[in-house]
Amino acid sequence: MRTGAGPPPPGGSPAGGGPAPGTSQASRQAAAAPARSPAPAARQASRTGGTAVTVAANRRAAASHDLPPAQRLLRAAEELFGESSYRRATVAGICARAGIATGSFYAHFRSKAQIFAAVVRQINADLRLAMREAIEQAGDSQRDRERAAFRAFFDMLSQRPWMDRIVRESEFVDPGLFREYYEHLARGYSRGVRRAQLAREVDARYDPEVIAYIYTGIGNFIGMRWADWTAGGRVPEDVLDDVLEVLRRGLAPAPAVPGRPGRDVSSTP
């Protein structure tokens, strides 16, 4: 059975990355239902970036001119910081991408450093909102909430693959901002874990903050591998299944089931 303790959502509901808002009940049930893993060859194909490149970035650019100037600058800055790094991006480049005169920039932001901080905080706010909405549409079980949480994070990373690169760079641009980003997420995750512990859905012996940072690390690196490194790819369901199963029971081998062959790992390096 695929299940496990996934990130609880910041600010209230348990979550850490989940299904896109609007998922139907039927599709949520299908996602949560136990599923046998694909054959090794199919799993390998699904994990090497065989998904289509998202068109979300193009849609974001097309819609940007309908936004107020400050939001246009934020959107342009996020994409430019993600593409060329904080060091290489310039205020003039941000304004050119936003279609705003350079002199108008300073009516909204004092400096490149200030808009960078605003971008990081906007990413944080967007992620927490996406997770909250995903959890609201998930089922009532901890398993459903966990899957929803991870899927929301992974899907947002597929649409904005540069966002984690920006957050990682903030560690060197503004270490306090980097710490704020993760502490803000972890506080919400911890609250969700604690609620699940009180409901006897998560083992109460564990420190909720420890679990919160475990969720964060797993989500970041799984997302990096399948959503970022595969040029806008999507984290496959079988990868998410493995994440949740590891969280549910650890790495101990599952009991053998009579008549069902186990996975051959004799040739695994």
Side-chain angles (χ1 to χ4, degrees), residues 99-174:
I100 292 174
T102 303
S104 299
F105 174 91
Y106 297 98
H108 305 283
F109 301 98
R110 292 191 304 274
S111 63
K112 183 173 74 168
Q114 189 187 42
I115 196 172
F116 181 79
V119 163
V120 172
R121 290 180 176 124
Q122 185 67 60
I123 290 170
N124 187 280
D126 290 348
L127 178 56
R128 289 184 289 111
L129 175 61
M131 290 189 292
R132 264 198 309 273
E133 291 180 342
I135 290 303
E136 288 170 1
Q137 312 234 359
D140 294 332
S141 74
Q142 177 71 2
R143 173 184 176 180
D144 292 335
R145 294 190 296 268
E146 290 159 358
R147 179 176 291 275
F150 275 114
R151 179 48 70 193
F153 170 67
F154 294 150
D155 285 354
M156 183 171 162
L157 189 58
S158 292
Q159 295 164 2
R160 295 155 75 174
W162 53 79
M163 72 182 209
D164 263 5
R165 295 196 292 272
I166 293 172
V167 173
R168 290 195 299 271
E169 189 176 22
S170 72
E171 181 181 8
F172 306 99
V173 175
D174 185 343

Side-chain angles (χ1 to χ4, degrees), residues 28-43:
R28 291 199 305 272
Q29 291 171 345
R36 297 181 63 180
S37 299
R43 289 170 66 88

Side-chain angles (χ1 to χ4, degrees), residues 9-81:
S13 331
T23 306
S24 69
Q25 181 65 27
S27 63
R28 291 199 305 272
Q29 291 171 345
R36 297 181 63 180
S37 299
R43 289 170 66 88
Q44 181 64 24
S46 74
R47 296 182 178 203
T48 52
T51 52
V53 175
T54 181
V55 296
N58 291 336
R59 290 175 180 167
R60 282 165 57 84
S64 64
H65 289 286
D66 298 329
L67 297 172
Q71 288 299 313
R72 287 164 61 186
L73 286 166
L74 274 174
R75 178 167 291 185
E78 179 184 323
E79 295 176 359
L80 200 58
F81 289 141

